[in-house]
Amino acid sequence: MTAQLIDGLALSRDMRAQLGQRAAALTAAGRRPGLAVILVGDDPASAVYVRNKVKACEEQGLHSVLERYDATLTEAALLARVAALNADPAIHGILVQMPLPRHIDSHRVIESIATEKDVDGFSVHSAGCLMAGLPGLRPATPYGCMKLIESTGLDLRGKHAVVIGRSNTVGKPMALLLLQAHATVTVCHSATPDLALHTRAADVVVVAVGRRNTLRADMVKPGAVVVDVGMNRNDEGKLCGDVDFPAVREALGPEGWITPVPGGVGPMTITMLLVNTLQAAEART
Ligand code: GUN
């Protein structure tokens, strides 16, 4: 018997249906939630991501604006667009798709987004709120991972969670969200000498490295929950995560849980962006 699947598509569908109702209520009150997405350059993967984000907004009745600019856009021009959106009452969330062209300082752009419209949760203010345990907008990917873990029915209190990866967008906020849920958290990364030593003891493993087969069958405990944030291509060009999925699923046994790629974390990231946009719209008085 293999581990049960954590179905991110099904959870997304349920959550988005509820979001649609909240959006309709706000719209009826004359406060239709609005998201602005800015894409600079022509990276094909980024173009797909932003299209999916805008499409998800439209499906749930949110107002959405997609602004696309040539890779030669100056930083000053981008900052001016963000300033205009900060002042636009129809827009409650602003997302500037990363990565930006090298001549633009991403940090400066992120910090220029109004705090209350930072639906990516990437600003120093949002990160500080998470760190301090204060309410605020949480980065969508780790926030979605928390919902996936919750959906298994696991109570994180006192459990040992291992996060592999220490990025500002996933690994670090993930560790803080798990801490807030009373887990004992270990953060592993490229300089961790013996990864398996940690993962074998873990009740929950979140892998966010960007390298396939980072988590293998001999590295997990039966009954654990595994969340795979990775998005890679295998030798056949097929989408795969950071986990050796078939072997790890087998090793986890019938009491274990695992997210597939695709159909796990990916759809939840967009769902949580919508959650954040609604939260931002509802907070606007
Ligand atoms: N690029 C890849 N993922 C993301 C994300 O969640 N937000 C932004 N702004 N850019 C990204």
Side-chain angles (χ1 to χ4, degrees), residues 231-280:
M231 282 257 259
N232 313 296
R233 298 268 169 198
N234 66 14
D235 292 335
E236 292 95 57
K238 265 182 63 184
L239 203 62
C240 67
D242 291 348
V243 176
D244 179 3
F245 179 82
V248 170
R249 188 179 183 191
E250 188 71 39
L252 290 171
E255 304 297 318
W257 292 86
I258 187 167
T259 60
V261 177
V265 174
M268 287 302 292
T269 292
I270 297 186
T271 300
M272 302 322 288
L273 171 66
L274 301 189
V275 167
N276 280 348
T277 305
L278 269 160
Q279 185 181 316

Side-chain angles (χ1 to χ4, degrees), residues 55-219:
K55 185 165 158 266
C57 280
E58 283 165 0
E59 284 169 0
Q60 301 312 329
L62 280 74
H63 168 59
S64 65
V65 181
L66 172 57
E67 298 191 7
R68 295 189 66 155
Y69 297 102
D70 195 84
T72 56
L73 184 78
T74 63
E75 183 179 298
L78 179 54
L79 291 172
R81 275 315 302 151
V82 172
L85 292 165
N86 281 342
D88 184 342
I91 296 299
H92 305 92
I94 302 169
L95 182 149
V96 180
Q97 186 68 18
M98 301 292 155
L100 286 167
R102 290 159 64 97
H103 65 277
I104 297 178
D105 181 341
S106 307
H107 176 68
R108 194 173 296 149
V109 173
I110 290 166
E111 290 306 308
S112 76
I113 297 170
T115 297
E116 66 277 13
K117 299 191 181 189
D118 174 30
V119 285
D120 258 329
F122 289 171
S123 68
V124 169
H125 177 90
S126 297
C129 287
L130 175 57
M131 180 82 186
L134 296 170
L137 294 159
R138 307 309 193 207
T141 299
Y143 195 8
C145 292
M146 290 300 288
K147 296 290 175 192
L148 290 164
I149 296 166
E150 263 172 40
S151 76
T152 69
L154 178 77
D155 178 7
L156 281 164
R157 177 178 288 273
K159 298 295 189 304
H160 183 196
V162 170
V163 179
I164 312 177
R166 54 175 157 175
S167 68
N168 288 337
T169 49
V170 184
K172 285 185 206 167
M174 187 75 236
L176 290 167
L177 288 168
L178 289 162
L179 262 183
Q180 210 164 52
H182 312 288
T184 302
V185 183
T186 303
V187 183
C188 300
H189 46 76
S190 51
T192 302
D194 188 352
L195 194 53
L197 177 78
H198 303 283
T199 57
R200 275 196 210 111
D203 303 301
V204 176
V205 185
V206 180
V207 198
V209 171
R211 185 166 40 84
R212 65 193 164 104
N213 295 334
T214 297
L215 192 72
R216 298 177 297 277
D218 61 344
M219 298 170 72

